Amino acid sequence: MADRFSGSVLRSDAGDDQLLPSLGEIGLNNFAPYLMNRILARWNTNIADELKTFDMTTAQMRALAVLSVSSSVTINELSVFAVTEQSTMSRTLDSLEEQGFVRRQPRLDDMRVREVSITAKGRSAFDKVWPALHRGLLQMFDGVEEDEYRNFLRTLHKVLRSIRKHDI
């Protein structure tokens, strides 16, 4: 894949579509969404393989990960944080609740809203998975210096603010 385009990828001249570089000019290796998709597809595949040894799905791990750092969230909030469709999250929570890993209860000030929290058993299950996640993180960023990693995180937060649909 030749990356021969030397102009700016992030600027266009007054929104004129005729002046935009083509994807061929930019090159896939300079098109951030393509690179992010490749990286995350590999991450998700690797993690899914690791999670099989714990008899856990990716959606279950994501839910437990969020709940391990948040005292209590609504199902909608959990879906956003875990990057999982709400219908998938509801089924995931059914399974996690049956295993005794989470608890759903009505919010005290609004009985229509269900809040989800992690149980001690759920925290223990996540604690067993965490080392595999951390190893994956270290593998992914092998050769990346700490200051590069921090700058990368700052950039990701800027991008997230630009595209986010939720305030969380």
Side-chain angles (χ1 to χ4, degrees):
M1 278 179 263
D3 297 322
R4 63 187 190 282
F5 181 71
S6 60
S8 174
V9 174
L10 299 179
R11 292 195 176 100
S12 66
D13 294 325
D16 187 348
D17 288 347
Q18 299 301 321
L19 300 176
L20 296 178
S22 70
L23 181 57
E25 290 173 316
I26 293 170
L28 288 176
N29 287 324
N30 289 318
F31 191 63
Y34 168 76
L35 292 174
M36 290 186 292
N37 277 328
R38 281 194 65 192
I39 291 165
L40 291 177
R42 172 53 35 214
W43 165 265
N44 286 327
T45 299
N46 290 351
I47 292 304
D49 289 345
E50 286 276 346
L51 291 174
K52 287 177 186 174
T53 64
F54 297 97
D55 196 30
M56 190 178 291
T57 67
T58 301
Q60 289 171 330
M61 176 275 295
R62 288 180 181 174
L64 292 176
V66 170
L67 293 169
S68 75
V69 296
S70 302
S71 59
S72 180
V73 294
T74 67
I75 295 172
N76 289 344
E77 291 167 336
L78 185 56
S79 296
V80 171
F81 285 133
V83 193
T84 304
E85 294 288 329
Q86 189 172 352
S87 59
T88 300
M89 183 54 65
S90 291
R91 288 189 303 274
T92 298
L93 290 173
D94 288 342
S95 171
L96 290 172
E97 197 169 38
E98 286 173 19
Q99 295 175 72
F101 291 169
V102 301
R103 176 177 38 257
R104 285 184 277 195
Q105 51 198 38
R107 182 179 275 172
L108 294 177
D109 61 344
D110 187 347
M111 299 301 263
R112 297 169 298 172
V113 177
R114 298 274 182 240
E115 295 210 341
V116 184
S117 57
I118 195 168
T119 63
K121 187 175 178 183
R123 188 169 304 282
S124 176
F126 181 74
D127 288 346
K128 290 176 185 165
V129 170
W130 172 243
L133 298 175
H134 192 261
R135 279 191 305 275
L137 173 73
L138 294 178
Q139 178 187 9
M140 180 185 288
F141 286 95
D142 184 39
V144 176
E145 299 295 326
E146 188 70 28
D147 62 325
E148 292 175 302
Y149 180 73
R150 298 274 176 228
N151 287 332
F152 179 66
L153 289 178
R154 280 192 282 281
T155 301
L156 289 176
H157 285 286
K158 284 181 184 179
V159 172
L160 183 59
R161 281 192 300 274
S162 296
I163 66 166
R164 122 164 76 199
K165 291 186 177 188
H166 306 280
D167 289 336
I168 54 175

